[in-house]
Amino acid sequence: QVQLVESGGRLVQAGDSLRLSCAASGPTFSTYAMGWFRQAPGKEREFVAQIQWRDGSTTYADSVKGRFTISRDTAKSAVYLQLNSLNTEDTAVYYCAARIGRSIDYNYWGQGTQVTVSS
C-alpha cells in the first residue's frame, strides 16, 4: 500500500518562505505524477501544483505561479513544494497526492500539513 507523509507546515509571517516535503513509501514504481493541493477553511480543496514523474514537467495554479516551485527526487520517491512570498490567502492545509498506476486521477493522498500565514 502506498503511503504519503507530508511535513514542513508551520506558522509563518507574510512574506516568508517555507518548504514542504512529501515522502512516498510502498509500491511507487509506477508513479505517473505527484502534486500538491490545498484546502483553506470553509473552501473546497484546490489544485496547487503537479510534477510529471518521468520528465519533471510542472504545472501550477495561477494563484501560485511565480511564487511556488514544485520539485522531485525520484531516488527518494519524494516531492517538495517551495513556497515563497507567502500571504494570508495561502493559509490552508496542504496535501500531497500521487497518481500511481493507470489511474487518471490522483489516487493516493497524504494526511495534510497545516500552513498558517499571519499578517
Side-chain angles (χ1 to χ4, degrees):
Q1 182 72 7
V2 173
Q3 289 189 322
L4 304 178
V5 179
E6 303 99 331
S7 61
R10 59 183 177 92
L11 173 65
V12 297
Q13 302 256 345
D16 283 354
S17 297
L18 198 59
R19 189 191 194 211
L20 304 182
S21 300
C22 174
S25 61
T28 60
F29 49 85
S30 57
T31 299
Y32 178 79
M34 292 189 75
W36 288 94
F37 293 74
R38 67 185 181 185
Q39 186 166 19
K43 295 185 178 180
E44 294 186 353
R45 186 170 60 193
E46 64 174 0
F47 168 78
V48 175
Q50 74 171 17
I51 187 164
Q52 302 296 326
W53 209 244
R54 184 172 60 87
D55 63 9
S57 59
T58 58
T59 308
Y60 295 92
D62 288 343
S63 59
V64 306
K65 204 172 292 183
R67 298 189 299 123
F68 292 7
T69 303
I70 188 171
S71 61
R72 77 199 193 300
D73 185 330
T74 56
K76 295 182 178 179
S77 293
V79 64
Y80 309 97
L81 187 68
Q82 178 68 37
L83 297 75
N84 296 331
S85 302
L86 285 161
N87 58 61
T88 56
E89 295 184 349
D90 296 317
T91 294
V93 177
Y94 284 72
Y95 296 92
C96 173
R99 281 181 57 188
I100 296 177
R102 297 185 178 185
S103 175
I104 60 173
D105 294 316
Y106 281 92
N107 51 346
Y108 292 95
W109 294 83
Q111 81 289 348
T113 186
Q114 177 71 48
V115 173
T116 303
V117 184
S118 65
S119 58

